[in-house]
Amino acid sequence: GCYITLILQRPLTFPCSTSQGPIKGSPPPLGMEAEAVNPFDGVPDELLEVIFSYFDFETLTTTVSRVCRRWYEVMPRVPITMRIKHACLEVLASQTKTYRVVNFILGAQTTASNDLVRVLASGSPGLERIVIGKSTALTDDAVLSLAKHCPRLVTLDLFWAYQITDASIEPLVRRCRKMTRVILPDSRRLTNVAVTTLARHCPLLAQVNLRDCCTITDEAVAELANRCKLLMFVNFLGCSGVTKVSAMALRRKCPDLDCVLMNGWD
């Protein structure tokens, strides 16, 4: 399925009354809440936000927001995880005045398209995390859309992105300099140029997975070791040009590194 985390930008607009009186299910006008003791009165807003974050989007907008005015006013600050169908993405992107997409996770059972990523990116400038389990149909156009519209991106996970090349990675990392996680296994068209650029522009990197990117060599990994001191996890399995020399350099220069995966290194 497709999972999206949203943060509401403003309350959804619900009419509170008509000439016949309040609409059933709408947030009550000021002064009309029930007089009975509310056990949630002593709960701070911050805790309510955490509690509400466990509800799905539909429940929040159709039920929780209409319980009382306080809940209605708290709800816009709640991060929402939402499961949607692929076809709903364009509708979501058109509603960015109501919420912003923070996390986008698409499972491997659905092949992502360039159009899907383009719509997501153009409608979600606050996107911070994108995880696509099946990226075989994605080209550089998809990554360039992220580079153009999503400067807050910190996590990029694209599995089986066979068609992605250095041409899109370079503008992406130049724009998204706070990247902490780059997972691009099987992106076999990536070369040392992409890795070197990544190292030079994203010093906060903590996790890098370039498994089976077979043209990468020790030269590029040396750049990561020299410039990305916060690395904790690297995976270069299947990269025949990456040797024990790289592993030793990473161990020596990245004190927080606790997992190194590469051929011939335990």
Side-chain angles (χ1 to χ4, degrees):
C2 177
Y3 295 83
I4 292 182
T5 301
L6 312 170
I7 292 181
L8 292 173
Q9 305 279 52
R10 60 175 173 79
L12 300 182
T13 302
F14 299 119
C16 292
S17 62
T18 67
S19 58
Q20 286 76 37
I23 294 177
K24 183 179 180 180
S26 63
L30 289 174
M32 291 187 64
E33 286 88 346
E35 295 181 0
V37 175
N38 186 341
F40 283 91
D41 284 346
V43 178
D45 287 357
E46 293 77 11
L47 183 54
L48 281 179
E49 292 173 27
V50 174
I51 295 171
F52 292 167
S53 70
Y54 287 91
F55 289 93
D56 59 68
F57 183 72
E58 182 179 0
T59 301
L60 278 172
T61 55
T62 61
T63 304
V64 174
S65 66
R66 302 182 180 191
V67 170
C68 65
R69 186 157 296 276
R70 181 189 176 207
W71 288 21
Y72 178 74
E73 293 173 350
V74 167
M75 201 192 68
R77 302 193 296 271
V78 179
I80 306 165
T81 299
M82 183 179 183
R83 181 172 182 172
I84 63 167
K85 295 181 179 179
H86 185 134
C88 296
L89 183 60
E90 190 165 356
V91 176
L92 287 171
S94 69
Q95 299 293 325
T96 52
K97 289 183 179 179
T98 298
Y99 49 74
R100 64 183 175 90
V101 178
V102 179
N103 297 329
F104 179 81
I105 305 173
L106 185 65
Q109 66 271 31
T110 303
T111 302
S113 65
N114 282 347
D115 286 343
L116 183 148
V117 176
R118 176 184 53 77
V119 171
L120 171 70
S122 62
S124 311
L127 186 68
E128 297 173 4
R129 181 181 182 220
I130 181 167
V131 178
I132 296 180
K134 192 173 184 181
S135 308
T136 52
L138 296 185
T139 68
D140 284 334
D141 288 343
V143 179
L144 290 172
S145 293
L146 293 170
K148 180 178 179 180
H149 298 289
C150 305
R152 298 181 185 178
L153 198 66
V154 294
T155 293
L156 177 71
D157 291 17
L158 302 180
F159 292 86
W160 303 326
Y162 302 136
Q163 303 185 64
I164 303 299
T165 73
D166 300 343
S168 60
I169 296 299
E170 185 169 1
L172 178 72
V173 298
R174 286 181 181 274
R175 187 94 192 278
C176 306
R177 294 174 178 259
K178 294 184 179 181
M179 298 271 282
T180 60
R181 175 182 165 104
V182 174
I183 309 296
L184 295 169
D186 301 298
S187 299
R188 296 167 188 171
R189 297 189 180 186
L190 296 183
T191 71
N192 282 355
V193 172
V195 180
T196 300
T197 306
L198 182 66
R200 290 175 179 173
H201 295 283
C202 300
L204 302 179
L205 278 174
Q207 300 178 60
V208 175
N209 182 345
L210 296 172
R211 186 198 67 224
D212 290 324
C213 298
C214 50
T215 64
I216 295 172
T217 68
D218 287 333
E219 180 182 356
V221 180
E223 282 291 307
L224 283 174
N226 289 330
R227 296 175 181 270
C228 302
K229 306 294 185 181
L230 302 179
L231 281 172
M232 300 173 64
F233 169 88
V234 295
N235 184 349
F236 292 104
L237 288 172
C239 304
S240 58
V242 179
T243 69
K244 292 182 179 180
V245 172
S246 290
M248 291 186 289
L250 287 164
R251 287 290 190 191
R252 186 171 61 253
K253 297 184 178 182
C254 303
D256 296 327
L257 190 66
D258 57 18
C259 184
V260 177
L261 300 177
M262 59 180 62
N263 297 343
W265 180 264
D266 295 325

